[in-house]
Amino acid sequence: PPASTPTPVAPAQLPSSGTPGSFSKQVLPIFQAKCAMCHNSSTTLGGWDSSSYESVMTSGENSPVVIAGDVQKSLLAQLLQGTNGKFMPPMGALPQEEIQAILDWIASGAKND
């Protein structure tokens, strides 16, 4: 059978958990495990580097990919949810709890902690 395309997740299905996300404790480990193989300082697909807070916030062909406090306008959130016609990672959606941790971090101001 042909490979299935991930189904976009409607933003309305992802309300904030009310818990501010932590970059160093929650978000960076997800990026290291799931994004860095393609988005790192030497292989910056799309120009985006997931290896550090500074690079996450400033790199990318369509930077900024994170708009602190604005999940709807953050390209990273759109790509993780598949709401802009593209989906990251391309092999399938991250687990819901990982997407939520990243969305909570963006919603709470995308601080470097």
Side-chain angles (χ1 to χ4, degrees):
S4 63
T5 302
T7 304
V9 179
Q13 293 176 283
L14 296 170
S16 172
S17 69
T19 306
S22 166
F23 183 78
S24 61
K25 293 178 186 165
Q26 295 174 294
V27 177
L28 185 59
I30 295 168
F31 288 165
Q32 289 171 334
K34 308 285 175 76
C35 307
M37 70 236 6
C38 297
H39 300 283
N40 58 58
S41 58
S42 32
T43 312
T44 54
L45 291 180
W48 188 64
D49 179 359
S50 68
S51 61
S52 72
Y53 177 80
E54 185 174 327
S55 63
V56 165
M57 299 301 288
T58 61
S59 65
E61 292 169 3
N62 298 301
S63 70
V65 299
V66 173
I67 308 294
D70 194 337
V71 172
Q72 297 288 337
K73 290 184 181 172
S74 292
L75 179 59
L76 178 61
Q78 294 168 14
L79 290 169
L80 291 174
Q81 298 174 88
T83 58
N84 75 345
K86 294 181 184 176
F87 212 100
M88 284 291 146
M91 67 286 269
L94 294 177
Q96 188 63 44
E97 60 273 7
E98 292 181 356
I99 294 173
Q100 191 62 58
I102 295 167
L103 298 181
D104 288 346
W105 169 70
I106 293 170
S108 66
K111 293 180 177 59
N112 183 8
D113 58 358

